[in-house]
Amino acid sequence: MGTGDFTHPKWFDELRENLVPAEPGLFRLREEADREIGATLPGRLASAPVRFMLSVEISTVYPQDGRARKIHHLVYLPDLAAAEEFNRRLGRVADLGSDGRPTVGMSSRDLLETTLACGEGAYLVPAHVWTPWFGVFGSKSGFDTLEECYGDLTGHIFALETGLSSDPAMNWRVSGLDRYRLVSYSDAHSPPIVGRETTVFETALDYFAIQDALRTGDGLTGTVEFFPEEGKYHVDGHRKCGVRMEPEETRRHGGRCPVCGKKLTVGVLSRVDDLADRPAGVRPGGAAGFRNLVPLPEVVGEILGVGPKTKKVRTEIDRLTAALGPELAILEELPVETIAVHSPRLGEAVDRLRRGQVTKDPGYDGEYGAIRLFGPSEPKDPAPAPSPTLF
């Protein structure tokens, strides 16, 4: 798990106080901290040994070639000394004490140079690369190639983060991306979001082994993804007017909202179309696979007819994970019949999800899409079914 913003002085102090080295480049909580927060972790993490990597997401805002560029990056470092050096260098050009994601007025290329200067093991991954406003290929402030963004240091980039609104199959349409490993991560804005998207490795529990898997692909087995239609910027649109368009419709309307005439926010699907040199469905040789899932709180929320963040859903999730185990195991591994013993409707939902039998309502212009497993006429569960007594 990434630590989050190690650049913030107060959070960096927390990390120094509460983390201790574990395997090479990885950290664990001090024993006393383990006891204090163990009960607060989501069910899918509480029973697992957790290791932490020093990580931060950084926004670079700068002019280049007559346009404002706003690009997000993920930076990883193997030890606290390297992180302290990174913070020292970044503190020359940014106020690291501001709350929220650190924003720096330097180019993406210079941020990469700063990262590499912090020593062996330091690396940078472009974040949510297709997002309109802050992705390296985004329609609003991005580029058409990585070379335009990172210049002479592009060779030090070896992985790209897909973001919620794209999945590997969409990225495979651009042959220029074949040499990069595709990863998927979740912002840890709140504990239930941890693991919403994730990257799967079969390596030693070792920072440098993970880095090597990202460089070579050996040991990177794939990703667990949103359905990209659920992301906030999958298709084009104008939220204020309630207008949502597929790429061909956008082209027919000249990229403008047919209601008010303003420019549409061009989403990920259109941007991939613009840069693609392959048809959909092509998979490059050696590319790691992926699985599209719907987070368990959303599935349970649909079953109960309430929002995924409600107390009713949290209570049911706690009941299910106590009986069945971690969320990803429920969604991917457990026999449907076993799930159905504890919740017949969840068993049916997971069966449909595994078969890809879902209804997709794409997101646009900052509005999340929706993935539904049941039709509007199918009944909702009035209350969670009780678990059977086990002896």
Side-chain angles (χ1 to χ4, degrees), residues 25 42 56 63 82 107 109 127 173 241 249 257 277 306 313 329 336 347 353:
V56 60
S107 71
R109 185 259 177 215
R173 295 188 59 200
C241 293
E249 293 179 274
C257 174
D277 55 358
V306 297
V313 167
V336 169
L353 177 60

Side-chain angles (χ1 to χ4, degrees), residues 86-100:
F86 182 86
N87 293 347
R88 185 185 67 79
R89 290 171 178 265
L90 214 63
R92 297 171 181 167
V93 296
D95 177 9
L96 300 182
S98 298
D99 289 338

Side-chain angles (χ1 to χ4, degrees), residues 11-159:
W11 183 237
F12 188 61
D13 288 343
E14 289 282 337
L15 296 177
R16 282 194 292 200
E17 181 179 345
N18 291 300
L19 294 182
V20 294
E23 297 78 15
L26 303 179
F27 297 83
R28 63 172 178 84
L29 291 169
R30 294 184 188 276
E31 289 183 2
E32 59 271 22
D34 277 332
R35 290 194 296 271
E36 289 172 6
I37 77 161
T40 69
L41 290 171
R44 61 185 180 274
L45 294 175
S47 61
V50 179
R51 293 295 184 263
F52 296 91
M53 294 175 65
L54 294 170
S55 68
V56 60
E57 182 178 1
I58 293 178
S59 177
T60 53
V61 180
Y62 58 100
Q64 183 172 326
D65 300 328
R67 292 179 58 190
R69 310 291 183 169
K70 301 178 181 180
I71 313 295
H72 287 180
H73 318 261
L74 306 173
V75 172
Y76 299 90
L77 296 171
D79 56 63
L80 290 168
E84 191 166 23
E85 174 62 15
F86 182 86
N87 293 347
R88 185 185 67 79
R89 290 171 178 265
L90 214 63
R92 297 171 181 167
V93 296
D95 177 9
L96 300 182
S98 298
D99 289 338
R101 181 190 297 108
T103 300
V104 299
M106 63 195 304
S107 71
S108 299
R109 185 259 177 215
D110 289 349
L111 177 65
L112 176 54
E113 183 177 48
T114 298
T115 302
L116 297 173
C118 293
E120 183 182 358
Y123 68 97
L124 179 151
V125 175
H128 44 71
V129 293
W130 296 99
T131 301
W133 298 99
F134 297 105
V136 65
F137 301 130
S139 62
K140 293 294 185 181
S141 58
F143 300 87
D144 288 348
T145 66
L146 285 179
E147 287 76 11
E148 292 175 81
C149 183
Y150 296 103
D152 60 314
L153 298 181
T154 303
H156 293 278
I157 301 291
F158 44 81

Side-chain angles (χ1 to χ4, degrees), residues 347-360:
E348 174 63 22
V350 169
D351 184 53
R352 294 183 185 189
L353 177 60
R354 292 176 184 177
R355 290 186 282 113
Q357 187 181 331
V358 301
T359 300
K360 303 172 183 179

